[in-house]
Amino acid sequence: MRRLALAFLSIAAVGAARAQFEGFANQGLVGVGRIPANTLDAGGQDTLGGLFSAMAFNQGSLSVAPGAGGALTFSGALTALPDRGFGDGATDYHPRFQSLSLSFTPNYTATAASPAPQTQVAFVNTATTVFTYGAGTNFTGFDANGGNAAFPQSAANSPGGGRRSLDPEGIARAADGSYYVSDEYGPFIYRFNAAGALVDTITPPPAWIPRNAAGTPSYTGASAPASGRYDNRGIEGLTLTPDGNFLVGMLQSPLAQDGSKNGSTNTRIVTIDVRAGSPTRNQVVGEYVYRLGNGQLLSAAAGNNTPGSRSTPISEILAISSHQFLVLERDARGLGGDAGQMLYKRVVLVDTNGATNLAGTGYDLAPGTTGALTLPANGLPTGVNAVSRMDLVDMLDSTQLARFGLNANGLAPDQNTLSEKWEGLALIPCNDPAHPDDYFLLIGNDNDFKASSVLH
């Protein structure tokens, strides 16, 4: 399987579905790129693997130059984050991030009748950095089955050898070159320096910590917890606000106490103060309900408005202001995923203004604690308002996909069929003086290290 990166152009325009979203519009697909999944990474010892579990573009690295045919080429540095490695937590993969040199020449004129080749987005893997802790010990991607209640850790007799377990799913680059990385086992948020060494740990609210029936933290991804984040559904999205003052994380699915893994709709966004010298530094200062797209899904019958049978998990969140975000929400269908018609793969525009802040309330307490509250599986409690949302990009738009030889539904699946796991978002400024708020939206997929051949 080959990894795809899609580039959509989102520019300012007049009018939107809701007042707080006025000025946002999607102007269509303008580029596609691929990387062979069995390429060796810059470390030279492992397959490049599931590259775009998350990504972060270094805005200060951007350069723009004339390209072929007079089109502009945008270049810069992109950080890409694989997850826990081969075998879904069954191997001693060493979690890492990849440094990429990005080159992007948008194509605005491709048509379905004369599709463009999928070469507008190009990458070169320039460096591989392995995450470490303590005196340079590597993390392991192996399951956190060691029973340590303080942090995720592999069992001593496992391939992980008792080392700390890490399933990285979200990444945000700070101005000093360090990185915040969200962990699905925890779900903790770690800060690593530019060399990949652990320097800080941020703990989520007690309600988010996975616990067994006895109330003891249990970080394994191999079984469902009694409460807290569902197995393999941790802090999937992570971003920094543009001013660098607040870190924003998002749960992939509702907490176990808030309903079922696939059928419930209320997941959560958390805001953490990361300002140096702040009295609330590294503490949660905001927490909001995000309603998943279960009620918006169509059934497999074309043209049917029947809601789908399961909610769509989120894959990424990307800040565009202190209160507005892009959220990538998608179903589990597509190339490499579940069988059936793809129903919902969209980038959603979100605004937390007007939403109820649950931080410090009973919703943050672990179930069984005095005063603990839970969200309903569907609907909202009286007095609780969810964030506002508006669909911005429909990735299943067949007309746009056909301009670059891609397809979603209606054709026999092939290597040009849209893949299941779109998980990375990044914004690249268009640098257009006439339209200073125009950006390219880069969307990357994570293939979970699936390829015709892999090396570890």
Side-chain angles (χ1 to χ4, degrees):
M1 184 180 293
R2 296 166 71 88
R3 204 166 296 98
L4 285 166
L6 271 65
F8 290 81
L9 178 61
S10 181
I11 71 170
V14 178
R18 297 176 183 166
Q20 68 265 51
F21 298 135
E22 185 173 354
F24 290 93
N26 164 33
Q27 298 298 313
L29 184 62
V30 294
V32 175
R34 292 180 180 265
I35 301 175
N38 59 357
T39 303
L40 289 184
D41 68 16
Q45 298 180 347
D46 292 291
T47 309
L48 199 58
L51 190 60
F52 294 124
S53 192
M55 63 172 76
F57 182 73
N58 180 355
Q59 302 289 336
S61 71
L62 178 67
S63 64
V64 184
L72 294 178
T73 294
F74 299 79
S75 302
L78 186 72
T79 302
L81 185 72
D83 54 25
R84 60 181 171 174
F86 314 94
D88 294 331
T91 61
D92 180 29
Y93 180 77
H94 298 161
R96 65 200 63 188
F97 66 86
Q98 307 287 1
S99 298
L100 305 175
S101 175
L102 165 72
S103 177
F104 170 50
T105 307
N107 183 317
Y108 305 102
T109 61
T111 65
S114 180
Q118 299 166 6
T119 57
Q120 294 75 38
V121 187
F123 303 97
V124 176
N125 183 201
T126 58
T128 296
T129 305
V130 176
F131 293 119
T132 62
Y133 65 95
T137 302
N138 295 331
F139 283 85
T140 180
F142 193 82
D143 185 49
N145 60 351
N148 189 328
F151 52 79
Q153 183 179 22
S154 62
N157 61 350
S158 74
R163 298 196 312 281
R164 294 182 63 164
S165 298
L166 174 63
D167 184 1
E169 292 290 350
I171 191 167
R173 184 182 185 276
D176 64 357
S178 64
Y179 294 93
Y180 291 98
V181 174
S182 62
D183 167 44
E184 195 148 64
Y185 286 129
F188 298 108
I189 298 173
Y190 302 118
R191 188 169 189 173
F192 295 92
N193 64 21
L198 179 65
V199 295
D200 208 355
T201 299
I202 298 174
T203 303
W208 293 37
I209 299 293
R211 302 174 190 273
N212 58 28
T216 302
S218 177
Y219 303 109
T220 178
S223 60
S227 66
R229 66 99 184 101
Y230 266 109
D231 47 305
N232 304 313
R233 299 283 181 94
I235 302 179
E236 189 76 12
L238 191 68
T239 186
L240 275 167
T241 54
D243 58 14
N245 289 335
F246 296 94
L247 187 67
V248 181
M250 191 169 184
L251 284 168
Q252 185 173 19
S253 295
L255 296 172
Q257 62 267 30
D258 292 340
S260 65
K261 185 174 184 178
N262 293 317
S264 302
T265 57
N266 293 323
T267 193
R268 308 192 191 193
I269 298 173
V270 68
T271 300
I272 298 163
D273 183 357
V274 291
R275 295 172 295 177
S278 170
T280 57
R281 185 173 184 270
N282 287 354
Q283 295 180 28
V284 172
V285 294
E287 186 174 2
Y288 310 97
V289 176
Y290 176 94
R291 303 203 68 197
L292 295 166
N294 184 53
Q296 301 179 34
L297 289 180
L298 304 182
S299 71
N304 189 332
N305 290 324
T306 304
S309 61
R310 58 185 290 179
S311 58
T312 43
I314 72 97
S315 289
E316 183 63 292
I317 185 169
L318 180 64
I320 52 179
S321 74
S322 62
H323 60 95
Q324 290 180 320
F325 306 89
L326 297 176
V327 170
L328 180 55
E329 187 177 339
R330 53 141 185 102
D331 59 25
R333 297 177 177 180
L335 194 64
D338 295 347
Q341 181 181 4
M342 285 178 266
L343 301 172
Y344 191 95
K345 295 186 189 295
R346 301 186 186 183
V347 178
V348 181
L349 189 58
V350 172
D351 196 325
T352 58
N353 277 356
T356 304
N357 186 354
L358 303 181
T361 71
Y363 293 102
D364 273 351
L365 300 177
T369 304
T370 301
L373 298 171
T374 61
L375 293 169
N378 295 285
L380 290 169
T382 300
V384 174
N385 296 318
V387 301
S388 300
R389 52 171 291 164
M390 183 190 80
D391 289 350
L392 182 64
V393 176
D394 181 2
M395 296 178 62
L396 303 181
D397 186 325
S398 59
T399 300
Q400 292 297 320
L401 294 176
R403 295 175 56 233
F404 294 88
L406 298 171
N407 64 81
N409 294 312
L411 298 175
D414 59 22
Q415 287 299 304
N416 286 312
T417 300
L418 211 61
S419 59
E420 172 207 2
K421 286 194 170 183
W422 294 91
E423 297 201 352
L425 293 178
L427 285 174
I428 301 174
C430 294
N431 274 20
D432 184 349
H435 302 281
D437 294 327
D438 289 10
Y439 287 83
F440 297 106
L441 175 60
L442 192 68
I443 309 176
N445 84 292
D446 169 22
N447 73 352
D448 278 351
F449 293 84
K450 295 174 183 175
S452 56
S453 62
V454 295
L455 177 66
H456 172 58

